[in-house]
C-alpha cells in the first residue's frame, strides 16, 4: 500500500475539526503508511489583520476556533476546497450538516474515485422515504464509500488530550481497521462497529435531547429532571432508530458504545446545544441571537435536527410517539412556551 493523503473538509465554524486534525497530524507524522502532509480546508477569513490560513500555517494554531492548542506542523491549511481534496485518499468531513450538499457539489468529479470518506457530521436529512443519513448524501453525490465517527468527544477536551472514547461505524472491516489506525491514540480510544447507520443516527438525535436538557437547566430544574430528560430522550432515540434503520436488526449494544449513551450524557451536561438552550430559557432571546452572541461563528445543530426529524415523523404520522422531540421543535420554531417543556415529561407515553 502506498502512502495515504488526507484532507479535512473543515469550515472554520467547527473547532472539533481542528481537534481531530491535531490527532491525525500527530499519527500520520509517525506512521509511514500515511502521507506526512494533512491538508485541512479552511474557509478563509481575516483575524486581527491576517488570513486565518496564514496564521495556521505559520503559527500552527487555529487562534479563533481552537486557541491555545498547537497543531502539528504537517497539518496544512488550504483555503481552496478543490485544491485541498484533489489528491486525497481519505476525506474527513467535519462541517455543519446544512452545508454538506454544497460542499459535495463543489468537489464532485474532482476527487479520487476510490477515496474513502469519514463523516463526523451530526445531523440527518430528509429523503423521499423519510430519513436520509448524511453519509448517504455524501456517498450518493460523490460515489465513494463513507464511514462515520461519533462519540462523547467535546472538542476542547479532545484537543487537551483528556481521555475519551469514540465509535467508528464501518461496514467494511479493513476500512474500519485503517481508520482506527489513523485516529486512535492512548487518550482517544476507538471501538469499531458495523452498525454505521445506528452510530450516525445517535450522533444526530442526541443534540435534540441536549436542547431539552438545556431548557431544564434554564428553568431551574435539578439533576433528577435532567436525568429524566436523558432517559426519555434515549428511549426516543432507540425507538426512532428501530423504525428508520432498514439495513437489519438494531443491536441494543450499539447504544452502550460511546456514540450512544456516553455522547448523550456529555452533550446534555456540556456542549453548545445545552448551553444555548439554557440561555434561551433564561433570557427569552431568540436562538439566532444567542447563536451569534455565544458560539463565535459555530452553528447550533440541535434545533435544525429537531426540525428535520419533525418533518420526517409527520410524513410517517408518528409525531405522537416522540413527544420530547416534538416539544423541542415546537418551542424552537412554533412559539410554544419553554415552560411547557416539562409537560412532555409528565405526560410521556413511557409513563402511561
Amino acid at each position: 500500500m502506498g502512502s495515504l493523503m488526507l484532507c479535512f473538509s473543515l469550515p472554520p465554524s467547527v473547532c472539533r475539526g481542528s481537534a481531530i486534525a491535531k490527532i491525525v497530524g500527530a499519527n500520520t507524522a509517525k506512521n509511514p503508511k500515511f502521507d506526512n502532509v494533512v491538508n485541512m480546508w479552511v474557509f478563509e477569513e481575516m483575524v486581527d489583520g491576517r488570513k486565518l490560513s496564514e496564521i495556521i500555517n505559520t503559527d500552527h494554531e487555529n487562534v479563533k476556533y481552537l486557541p491555545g492548542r498547537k497543531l502539528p506542523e504537517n497539518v496544512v491549511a488550504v483555503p481552496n476546497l478543490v485544491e485541498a481534496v484533489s489528491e486525497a485518499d481519505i476525506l474527513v468531513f467535519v462541517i455543519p450538516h446544512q452545508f454538506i450538499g454544497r460542499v459535495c457539489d463543489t468537489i464532485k468529479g474532482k476527487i479520487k474515485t476510490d477515496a474513502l470518506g469519514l463523516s463526523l457530521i451530526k445531523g440527518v436529512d430528509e429523503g423521499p422515504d423519510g430519513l436520509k443519513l448524511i453519509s448517504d448524501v455524501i456517498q450518493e453525490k460523490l460515489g465513494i464509500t463513507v464511514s462515520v465517527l461519533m462519540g462523547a468527544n467535546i472538542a476542547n477536551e479532545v484537543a487537551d488530550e483528556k481521555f475519551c472514547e469514540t465509535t467508528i461505524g464501518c461496514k467494511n472491516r479493513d476500512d474500519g481497521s485503517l481508520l482506527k489506525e489513523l485516529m486512535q491514540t492512548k487518550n482517544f480510544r476507538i471501538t469499531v462497529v458495523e452498525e454505521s447507520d445506528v452510530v450516525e443516527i445517535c450522533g444526530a438525535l442526541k443534540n435534540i435531547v441536549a436542547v431539552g436538557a438545556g431548557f431544564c437547566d434554564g428553568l431551574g430544574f435539578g439533576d433528577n429532571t435532567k436525568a429524566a430528560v436523558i432517559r426519555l430522550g434515549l428511549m426516543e432515540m432507540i425507538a426512532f432508530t428501530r423504525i428508520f434503520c432498514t439495513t437489519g436488526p438494531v443491536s441494543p449494544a450499539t447504544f452502550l458504545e460511546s456514540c450512544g449513551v456516553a455522547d448523550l450524557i456529555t452533550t446534555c451536561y456540556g456542549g453548545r446545544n445545552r448551553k444555548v438552550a439554557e440561555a434561551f430559557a433564561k433570557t427569552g432571546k431568540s436562538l439566532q441571537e444567542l447563536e451569534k452572541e455565544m458560539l463565535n461563528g459555530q452553528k447550533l445543530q440541535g434545533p435544525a435536527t429537531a426540525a428535520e426529524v419533525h418533518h420526517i415523523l409527520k410524513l410517517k404520522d408518528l409525531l405522537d410517539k416522540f413527544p420530547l422531540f416534538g416539544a423541542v421543535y415546537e418551542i424552537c420554531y412554533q412559539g410554544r412556551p419553554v415552560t411547557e417543556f416539562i409537560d412532555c415529561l409528565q405526560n410521556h407515553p413511557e409513563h402511561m
Side-chain angles (χ1 to χ4, degrees):
M1 181 189 295
S3 63
L4 299 174
M5 175 76 174
L6 287 104
C7 171
F8 278 79
S9 178
L10 170 65
S13 60
V14 186
C15 67
R16 190 161 57 112
S18 291
I20 295 296
K22 183 174 182 286
I23 288 175
V24 171
N27 280 353
T28 56
K30 59 189 179 186
N31 189 336
K33 182 180 290 187
F34 301 104
D35 192 298
N36 187 52
V37 176
V38 178
N39 282 349
M40 181 172 71
W41 171 54
V42 297
F43 185 83
E44 193 71 279
E45 61 181 303
M46 301 301 292
V47 179
D48 295 330
R50 299 172 66 193
K51 292 180 179 179
L52 180 59
S53 62
E54 175 194 338
I55 296 171
I56 292 173
N57 292 334
T58 302
D59 301 341
H60 308 293
E61 181 182 347
N62 189 336
V63 294
K64 184 169 183 181
Y65 300 103
L66 197 67
R69 288 90 170 179
K70 289 292 184 181
L71 296 172
E73 293 187 10
N74 61 325
V75 175
V76 179
V78 181
N80 183 293
L81 175 57
V82 173
E83 178 186 340
V85 304
S86 61
E87 297 300 320
D89 296 287
I90 301 175
L91 299 170
V92 182
F93 295 87
V94 196
I95 59 177
H97 74 276
Q98 300 95 319
F99 303 141
I100 190 59
R102 189 187 316 166
V103 167
C104 287
D105 289 341
T106 300
I107 65 176
K108 184 177 181 178
K110 300 178 175 66
I111 62 172
K112 290 186 176 182
T113 56
D114 60 349
L116 175 63
L118 179 66
S119 173
L120 280 66
I121 301 171
K122 298 187 175 183
V124 293
D125 206 348
E126 298 169 27
D129 298 319
L131 177 73
K132 188 161 196 160
L133 300 177
I134 300 301
S135 61
D136 289 337
V137 173
I138 298 171
Q139 188 162 321
E140 290 176 12
K141 283 184 173 288
L142 300 181
I144 63 174
T145 300
V146 182
S147 301
V148 299
L149 183 151
M150 307 283 160
N153 311 138
I154 292 176
N156 290 339
E157 295 182 16
V158 172
D160 290 338
E161 301 181 15
K162 295 178 179 178
F163 180 82
C164 67
E165 301 174 315
T166 197
T167 311
I168 289 178
C170 184
K171 293 182 171 63
N172 182 291
R173 183 173 297 179
D174 291 338
D175 289 345
S177 296
L178 178 67
L179 293 170
K180 182 173 181 175
E181 187 175 355
L182 172 68
M183 295 283 187
Q184 181 163 269
T185 73
K186 66 178 182 179
N187 288 319
F188 192 72
R189 307 307 293 179
I190 293 172
T191 300
V192 180
V193 301
E194 292 185 5
E195 288 186 312
S196 58
D197 46 0
V198 178
V199 173
E200 186 168 2
I201 292 173
C202 283
L205 298 183
K206 58 94 182 181
N207 282 330
I208 304 177
V209 185
V211 172
F215 290 159
C216 286
D217 289 341
L219 293 169
F221 291 93
D223 288 338
N224 291 340
T225 306
K226 186 184 281 191
V229 171
I230 293 172
R231 190 191 75 82
L232 294 170
L234 178 61
M235 298 305 293
E236 292 194 14
M237 288 169 59
I238 293 172
F240 186 96
T241 305
R242 286 177 170 163
I243 291 170
F244 289 98
C245 277
T246 58
T247 56
V250 173
S251 170
T254 304
F255 295 96
L256 299 179
E257 297 291 348
S258 183
C259 63
V261 65
D263 197 7
L264 179 61
I265 291 170
T266 196
T267 308
C268 286
Y269 279 90
R272 57 185 180 268
N273 288 283
R274 189 219 61 80
K275 179 172 67 173
V276 173
E278 178 184 14
F280 176 84
K282 283 183 175 179
T283 68
K285 293 182 179 180
S286 71
L287 291 171
Q288 292 78 11
E289 286 179 283
L290 293 168
E291 185 180 68
K292 290 178 181 178
E293 289 178 12
M294 300 175 66
L295 297 188
N296 192 30
Q298 297 184 77
K299 293 296 180 182
L300 200 61
Q301 296 298 299
T305 302
E308 285 149 358
V309 165
H310 179 84
H311 189 254
I312 291 167
L313 293 173
K314 187 176 181 180
L315 287 174
K316 298 290 187 180
D317 195 26
L318 292 170
L319 288 174
D320 61 326
K321 297 184 182 299
F322 297 88
L324 192 152
F325 290 172
V328 170
Y329 167 77
E330 291 168 7
I331 291 166
C332 291
Y333 291 102
Q334 294 190 329
R336 183 176 180 178
V338 69
T339 52
E340 293 183 8
F341 179 67
I342 301 303
D343 294 346
C344 89
L345 306 183
Q346 295 168 336
N347 301 313
H348 200 281
E350 283 285 310
H351 298 148
M352 301 303 178

